[in-house]
Amino acid sequence: MNFLTNFERGLATKPIVIGGRNGDHIAVELSQARGYELGSVEVKKFPDGETYIRIHADVQGRDVIYVNSLQREPNESIIETLYTLDTLRDLGARRVVAVIPYMSYARQDSRFNPGEAISIHVLAKLFKSISVDHIVTVDMHLHRIADPSSLFGANFHNITGVRELARYLKKNYSFSKTSTVVIGPDEEAEQWAKVMAEELGGLEYGVLEKTRLSPEKVVIEARGVKVEGMDVVIVDDIISTGGTIVEAVKTLRSMGARDFYIAAVHAILVGDALSKLLRLNPRDLVATNTVLSPISRVSIAPAIAEALDKIL
């Protein structure tokens, strides 16, 4: 005889959400927002440095959402993520959805010098070997990746965090078409500048032209962008060393720009990046929590929840 209560039967039909070490904060938010059952995964190291994984949830026949960003120590995060996803499949999960808010190695998407590994292709092959059903990422660099679903072997959903950043800015500040312009610090950032400008009420937007001299040094040129006497919202996908944003602000200030609002999806903040950005004295400096940092004040969970609603 089946003694499950109606509550237990209902719970058993809901997806289970599990967060890795770099994704548990988002998993908890998703559980609270959508009523998903919250599971957990135990991750630790053996004395010899090998990784130990144990799932603390009964996933047999259930839809499982696993959340983990491949950040900070990306190689460790990759091993943790792949081991966990494969274990979920091996334990009989009905569908496995991998939510990777920050996908590392995405910028190494071509062989720029002879003999280089195309790192994102290698990582994609590893994901493909596990056969997850869906992969959800946030503002992943897809510049030279024409078909990510084919490359990763799963239904691929690359969502944006810029709308969440725009909602935060609209809630806390007032912007007008006559006094504010949105700027992407390089040509690739035009896609995010366009979204931000639309979300802030149809502001004008433009981009700067960037020439990278080294991994930490760039030269920024402004062409066809009028910012004199204007407040500027700078938006980008990633702040890593901070070099691009610093040079962008210097260039725009030399052109007569006034106050700056700096927003990014992924705040990697390598080395003294945060200090360099704070010394620019912006009105605000904010990022989403795809990567946890001192400026990660905007939750990406609502955007991920919307994507999961469509998937599940």
Side-chain angles (χ1 to χ4, degrees):
M1 183 178 292
N2 189 343
F3 291 101
L4 288 177
T5 65
N6 289 334
F7 172 78
E8 289 169 330
R9 290 191 190 96
L11 190 62
T13 64
K14 290 182 177 291
I16 299 174
V17 60
I18 297 173
R21 288 182 295 180
N22 294 327
D24 199 48
H25 61 291
I26 296 174
V28 170
E29 288 190 64
L30 291 173
S31 173
Q32 294 170 344
R34 290 297 187 268
Y36 300 149
E37 182 180 339
L38 185 62
S40 64
V41 56
E42 181 181 354
V43 183
K44 62 183 182 182
K45 283 187 177 295
F46 289 110
D48 61 1
E50 294 180 351
T51 299
Y52 172 89
I53 297 289
R54 183 184 179 190
I55 307 294
H56 291 287
D58 182 3
V59 302
Q60 176 72 39
R62 305 282 295 277
D63 290 340
V64 182
I65 303 156
Y66 174 69
V67 188
N68 207 27
S69 275
L70 309 183
Q71 64 183 75
R72 303 305 180 205
E73 297 178 335
N75 298 339
E76 292 286 337
S77 298
I78 288 167
I79 290 296
E80 174 192 344
T81 297
L82 294 173
Y83 283 14
T84 303
L85 290 172
D86 191 61
T87 302
L88 290 169
R89 179 65 78 194
D90 193 48
L91 291 174
R94 188 172 78 94
R95 285 189 296 181
V96 177
V97 180
V99 177
I100 314 296
Y102 176 71
M103 182 75 76
S104 59
Y105 290 108
R107 288 174 286 183
Q108 187 66 36
D109 59 357
S110 184
R111 187 168 285 122
F112 302 104
N113 296 294
E116 288 182 341
I118 306 178
S119 306
I120 192 60
H121 286 197
V122 178
L123 183 57
K125 290 174 184 176
L126 293 171
F127 272 98
K128 195 171 187 178
S129 70
I130 295 171
S131 299
V132 298
D133 297 285
H134 295 267
I135 296 175
V136 179
T137 64
V138 181
D139 290 307
M140 176 180 159
H141 182 96
L142 293 175
H143 187 51
R144 281 170 284 268
I145 300 177
D147 185 3
S149 290
S150 175
L151 186 63
F152 282 82
N155 293 302
F156 201 92
H157 314 267
N158 186 42
I159 66 175
T160 185
V162 173
R163 289 186 176 85
E164 303 307 317
L165 290 168
R167 289 176 185 133
Y168 164 86
L169 289 172
K170 284 174 67 175
K171 181 180 178 180
N172 290 281
Y173 304 99
S174 296
F175 302 99
S176 74
K177 294 181 180 180
T178 59
S179 63
T180 312
V181 63
V182 177
I183 295 293
D186 56 29
E187 294 91 333
E188 276 188 39
E190 182 175 4
Q191 57 187 304
W192 298 295
K194 181 179 180 181
V195 172
M196 178 67 81
E198 290 173 351
E199 293 292 322
L200 292 181
L203 301 182
E204 293 293 322
Y205 72 92
V207 296
L208 304 180
E209 295 183 4
K210 177 176 71 175
T211 301
R212 184 167 291 281
L213 303 181
S214 71
E216 296 186 0
K217 188 174 182 180
V218 295
V219 174
I220 304 288
E221 295 180 295
R223 296 180 183 175
V225 183
K226 297 180 180 179
V227 298
E228 186 175 359
M230 304 285 279
D231 294 335
V232 177
V233 177
I234 297 179
V235 59
D236 208 353
D237 60 334
I238 300 173
I239 298 180
S240 184
T241 64
T244 296
I245 299 296
V246 168
E247 293 303 320
V249 170
K250 287 180 180 178
T251 298
L252 292 165
R253 276 192 171 136
S254 71
M255 298 170 64
R258 298 188 308 184
D259 287 333
F260 289 86
Y261 305 81
I262 301 171
V265 178
H266 311 295
I268 305 300
L269 301 181
V270 175
D272 64 346
L274 180 58
S275 176
K276 289 191 294 187
L277 294 169
L278 292 174
R279 287 173 182 273
L280 297 173
N281 195 29
R283 282 287 304 278
D284 206 339
L285 172 62
V286 66
T288 76
N289 63 350
T290 58
V291 176
L292 287 177
S293 78
I295 67 171
S296 300
R297 299 191 301 277
V298 175
S299 174
I300 196 62
I304 293 174
E306 289 179 16
L308 292 173
D309 288 344
K310 297 175 183 177
I311 291 170
L312 298 175

